[in-house]
Amino acid sequence: MMSLSDKTVDFSGALAIASTDAPDDYPDWGSTTYASNMEDLKDLWAEIRATLKKDLDKVPFIDAKLQEAFFAFDSGEKEKGRKAILAIYNLEVKKLR
């Protein structure tokens, strides 16, 4: 079972990959795909969200930006999606508690 700290580090990494590769720039040689990266973001955020104690004020912002990113990527608006992902990343999500 992963600790909250481990989950936030993984979430930060998934955000970093999405900020540069999503939705269609994932390298062919890598194991991460758009679908797997988006699923990781959703799963990790659900787990983090359920265990947050101190940073509950950031939950609505992250929820909204994730939805914005998924919608933008699905609508072909790559830069808008990447900006939404970066907005979350810039919250220093590794430090969420």
Side-chain angles (χ1 to χ4, degrees):
M1 187 169 183
M2 289 174 55
S3 69
L4 176 59
S5 179
D6 290 339
K7 290 175 189 175
T8 60
V9 167
D10 284 357
F11 185 61
S12 178
L15 289 167
I17 291 168
S19 73
T20 59
D21 295 353
D24 56 2
D25 290 328
Y26 292 88
D28 293 337
W29 51 262
S31 61
T32 302
T33 65
Y34 173 72
S36 70
N37 192 210
M38 294 303 108
E39 194 63 34
D40 285 347
L41 286 173
K42 290 175 187 175
D43 291 346
L44 286 164
W45 177 237
E47 292 175 23
I48 292 166
R49 191 178 194 275
T51 57
L52 284 180
K53 304 267 190 272
K54 294 185 179 183
D55 292 313
L56 295 172
D57 59 316
K58 295 180 176 148
V59 169
F61 178 81
I62 295 171
D63 284 344
K65 288 297 178 181
L66 279 176
Q67 289 302 318
E68 181 182 327
F70 297 144
F71 183 77
F73 290 144
D74 289 345
S75 300
E77 297 180 69
K78 182 186 331 190
E79 289 309 311
K80 184 176 180 180
R82 288 179 175 182
K83 285 180 183 178
I85 292 292
L86 280 172
I88 300 167
Y89 183 85
N90 289 335
L91 287 178
E92 297 183 1
V93 294
K94 287 190 243 183
K95 296 179 182 180
L96 290 174
R97 299 291 172 248

